[in-house]
Amino acid sequence: MKGILNLRCGPMRLTALALTVTVLAGTAACSAEYKGPQVTPTAGSQPNSSESGTGTPESTTPATGSAAGSPSAAPGETTGAGESPGTSGSSSASPGPGPVATAVSWKTYTDSAKTVSFELPQEWIAQSVTPEAGALARAVKVEVKDAEGRYIATLQTGLPSAAPVACPAGQARPYVVISSVPLDLPHSDGQDTIDPRVVFRVVQGYKFFGSYGITNMVAGVDGQSCELRNRVQGPAGKGDISFGDVPAIHAFAADEKVAPAKAFDTLDLAAKYAVHGSEFANVQRMLLSLKVNL
């Protein structure tokens, strides 16, 4: 399936919650002179006009007479190519205020070879580490932590191509795209790709598991998937790019370690994290500022 991210949920007896999501666009300027891995101040404390702009929300809405707790697509939501919009018997959600980055000061990180740059809050830490085994030449790996040293995200370039995990019949789980914002990034197109996005998605298991990252890969079929990949298929011969909290997310088993992915008791709590949470607002601006020179 090639097209827009799938927002439907599978044919289970699910109910719906209101998720008001604002679409933001972000850009970041790269500093002109770098002689090594550097972090430099970024002028201004607020997102530019495109970062703070609003657009049509991708959302779910409550169905009349339903109990809260599970995802369902609302009429008018866009699904993958060749699919019909979901129908829940309810009206579409109204646009509301989106997340606004709360960090007062921002800086720009760039690697020594000037292949990547991105903005991050002044108090956060970006550290270059050894790339993954099997990474291509000039690959970059950068870990980002907050001021208290808590893990936020990892950027990786030059990743070798990897096939998605097998998804046997009946094993896919419902998922919801809570936030999806276009990202200008070098990429290649394929049968199961879309234009790059910064996303926050939730998959339903014994809890609702959420993850943020960049992707240009179709998540699943009919609103269900075995794995949601935070990965952009890079230009031919350049390797893939990943920037997010985890490389991929799935419906975790009760005995699996969830962190650094997020776990929520309800879909509403997951939506509040993405729509109103200051942490996600800062993370989203950081991811949207990513520039890659391959």
Side-chain angles (χ1 to χ4, degrees):
M1 178 193 322
K2 181 179 177 67
I4 299 174
L5 283 175
N6 188 341
L7 302 183
R8 295 179 57 199
C9 289
M12 301 176 65
R13 293 183 179 176
L14 302 176
T15 57
L17 291 171
L19 307 178
T20 305
V21 182
T22 299
V23 175
L24 308 178
T27 59
C30 299
S31 181
E33 295 183 3
Y34 296 104
K35 298 180 181 179
Q38 297 184 18
V39 179
T40 58
T42 299
S45 61
Q46 298 296 329
N48 61 32
S49 58
S50 63
E51 287 172 327
S52 58
T54 60
T56 303
E58 295 174 345
S59 62
T60 59
T61 60
T64 303
S66 62
S70 300
S72 176
E77 290 181 337
T78 307
T79 58
E83 295 184 6
S84 301
T87 55
S88 64
S90 60
S91 59
S92 57
S94 300
V100 177
T102 57
V104 175
S105 300
W106 290 73
K107 57 192 177 185
T108 300
Y109 173 90
T110 188
D111 69 304
S112 59
K114 305 179 186 177
T115 57
V116 300
S117 70
F118 59 89
E119 295 181 358
L120 68 163
Q122 186 69 42
E123 296 80 11
W124 288 11
I125 302 164
Q127 182 178 11
S128 176
V129 296
T130 303
E132 298 291 332
L136 305 183
R138 299 182 66 201
V140 172
K141 184 176 182 180
V142 182
E143 292 183 350
V144 179
K145 298 179 180 179
D146 67 12
E148 286 72 41
R150 293 180 297 232
Y151 173 83
I152 298 293
T154 297
L155 166 64
Q156 299 183 77
T157 67
L159 293 172
S161 298
V165 298
C167 192
Q171 296 300 307
R173 301 294 299 167
Y175 72 92
V176 172
V177 179
I178 293 180
S179 178
S180 177
V181 185
L183 173 67
D184 183 12
L185 204 66
H187 66 283
S188 61
D189 296 321
Q191 182 178 359
D192 295 316
T193 64
I194 56 174
D195 290 335
R197 319 283 295 182
V198 171
V199 296
F200 183 76
R201 299 174 291 186
V202 174
V203 61
Q204 183 181 5
Y206 73 92
K207 287 191 175 185
F208 294 90
F209 302 105
S211 175
Y212 49 72
I214 64 174
T215 190
N216 76 330
M217 298 182 175
V218 173
V221 178
D222 291 334
Q224 297 196 4
S225 180
C226 286
E227 179 184 65
L228 307 177
R229 307 175 78 190
N230 294 325
R231 190 183 186 107
V232 169
Q233 184 174 301
K238 300 297 184 179
D240 294 349
I241 307 165
S242 177
F243 198 10
D245 50 6
V246 291
I249 190 171
H250 61 277
F252 293 90
D255 59 350
E256 283 187 276
K257 179 183 177 181
V258 176
K262 309 292 186 288
F264 305 93
D265 289 332
T266 68
L267 185 58
D268 185 53
L269 291 174
K272 288 178 179 177
Y273 170 80
V275 177
H276 302 297
S278 60
E279 178 186 81
F280 177 72
N282 289 329
V283 167
Q284 186 182 63
R285 174 173 170 175
M286 178 180 72
L287 299 181
L288 286 168
S289 73
L290 176 62
K291 300 296 180 184
V292 177
N293 179 21
L294 298 177

